[in-house]
Amino acid sequence: MNRHPMGGCFSSHPGKLNTEHAIAKWAQHYAKQGVHFNDTHSEALALLMPLLLCGEQSAQLVFQQQAKVLAPQVCKSSINALNEVEADEAWHDEALQWVFAQLPVLTEQHQIRRAAQRFYSGLGRSESLQQQFIRIASLDACVTQLMQMMERGTIGSQHPFSLLCGLIKKDEAKHVYVSKYFAKHLGASVADIAEERLLILQQLMTLLGRQANQFEVLGVDLEVLQKKLELKWL
C-alpha cells in the first residue's frame, strides 16, 4: 500500500502482515476504489494524520521491545498477546498510511510530526517497565474514545475512513486490557495507574489541543473527550 511522505515517525520492523486481520479485509475491499473526502475533511485529516501515525508507530515499536524484554520472564501465551497487539498496530499503521497517501501534502505537517515525535519519545523514557505499560494503557484508552468520536463524526458513519476508525477502536480497547494486565503483573498498584493515566491524559490533550480546530471539523470535541475520560477514571 502507498505511503505518504510525512507518514514515517518511528522505525519499526513488523513481520508479515496477517491477511486474516479485519483491517486486511477492509483494505482489500477499498484498495481499488480508494477513499474520497471533501476539501474541508481532506485538509483537516491531512494535518491530523501525523498525530495518529506517530502514536501507532510508537506503540508498535514499544510492544516489539516489551516482548523481547519479557520473553525470558513470562509464559508463551503472554508473549503471544504482546505479539498480537504489535500485529494490530502494524495494520493500523498500514491502513492509515494508505489513507494518508490520498491526502494533500501540507507544509504544516512537518511541525505537527515533530511535535508528535517529541511527545511519544518522551513517553518512551519511562522509569520502569510497569510505568511504560500504564502509559500505553492510558494512551490506548484515549485512542479508543477518539476513534469512536471520529467513527461517529461528520465524515459519515458509512464512509470507509469511519469504518476503519471503528475497527481500530475495537483493537485499541483490547490493547488497554493487555497493557493493564502486564502493568499489574509487574507490580503496578491501582493508585499508580490512576495517577499516571491522568497525567498522560493532560499531556496528550495539550498535544492534540494544538489541532483542536481540525478535530472540530471532523466532529470531535476534545473537551468532551477529556471530560469523558476524567469521569471514567476518577
Side-chain angles (χ1 to χ4, degrees):
M1 301 175 81
N2 293 332
R3 288 176 173 259
H4 193 283
M6 288 292 102
C9 283
F10 299 98
S11 297
S12 58
H13 305 283
K16 187 177 180 180
L17 292 168
N18 176 15
T19 56
E20 296 302 313
H21 196 281
I23 294 180
K25 297 175 182 178
W26 173 93
Q28 184 179 20
H29 182 75
Y30 292 107
K32 291 183 179 179
Q33 66 190 71
V35 290
H36 306 281
F37 304 92
N38 65 36
D39 291 345
T40 305
H41 288 148
S42 181
E43 183 172 341
L45 269 178
L47 295 174
L48 295 179
M49 275 294 184
L51 297 174
L52 301 179
L53 281 165
C54 281
E56 295 294 350
Q57 292 167 16
S58 173
Q60 187 180 341
L61 187 60
V62 166
F63 278 105
Q64 284 178 355
Q65 296 168 340
Q66 290 168 337
K68 291 177 182 178
V69 171
L70 289 171
Q73 307 174 35
V74 299
C75 63
K76 185 177 180 180
S77 61
S78 293
I79 297 302
N80 287 342
L82 292 175
N83 289 336
E84 286 178 11
V85 171
E86 181 197 340
D88 288 343
E89 300 290 3
W91 261 117
H92 298 176
D93 180 41
E94 188 79 3
L96 289 172
Q97 289 277 10
W98 180 71
V99 174
F100 197 21
Q102 298 171 73
L103 297 172
V105 176
L106 304 174
T107 56
E108 301 97 317
Q109 290 165 338
H110 291 275
Q111 183 179 358
I112 295 169
R113 184 178 67 174
R114 285 196 296 270
Q117 286 173 320
R118 289 194 297 269
F119 172 77
Y120 286 105
S121 294
L123 291 183
R125 294 190 290 270
S126 54
E127 297 176 2
S128 65
L129 195 56
Q130 72 184 51
Q131 185 187 53
Q132 196 169 52
F133 273 115
I134 296 171
R135 289 178 172 183
I136 291 294
S138 304
L139 284 170
D140 285 348
C142 295
V143 174
T144 301
Q145 296 297 327
L146 178 61
M147 286 296 162
Q148 183 178 70
M149 294 178 79
M150 293 179 74
E151 177 189 16
R152 300 173 179 177
T154 58
I155 292 178
S157 61
Q158 296 306 306
H159 189 279
F161 181 73
S162 300
L163 298 176
L164 174 61
C165 289
L167 294 173
I168 294 175
K169 173 193 69 179
K170 291 179 182 178
D171 286 342
E172 296 295 350
K174 178 180 65 177
H175 300 173
V176 174
Y177 175 83
V178 172
S179 294
K180 283 180 67 177
Y181 167 82
F182 279 100
K184 291 177 180 178
H185 177 77
L186 292 166
S189 66
V190 172
D192 291 333
I193 295 173
E195 181 180 0
E196 189 71 28
R197 63 189 178 188
L198 288 174
L199 178 61
I200 293 302
L201 175 61
Q202 184 180 28
Q203 293 175 348
L204 180 63
M205 287 300 120
T206 299
L207 175 69
L208 300 185
R210 297 167 188 164
Q211 300 302 322
N213 291 340
Q214 311 306 329
F215 279 111
E216 187 176 349
V217 167
L218 301 180
V220 175
D221 187 323
L222 293 179
E223 290 186 6
V224 171
L225 173 62
Q226 183 170 356
K227 289 176 182 177
K228 189 173 184 179
L229 286 163
E230 286 175 343
L231 287 172
K232 185 177 181 180
W233 286 347
L234 289 174

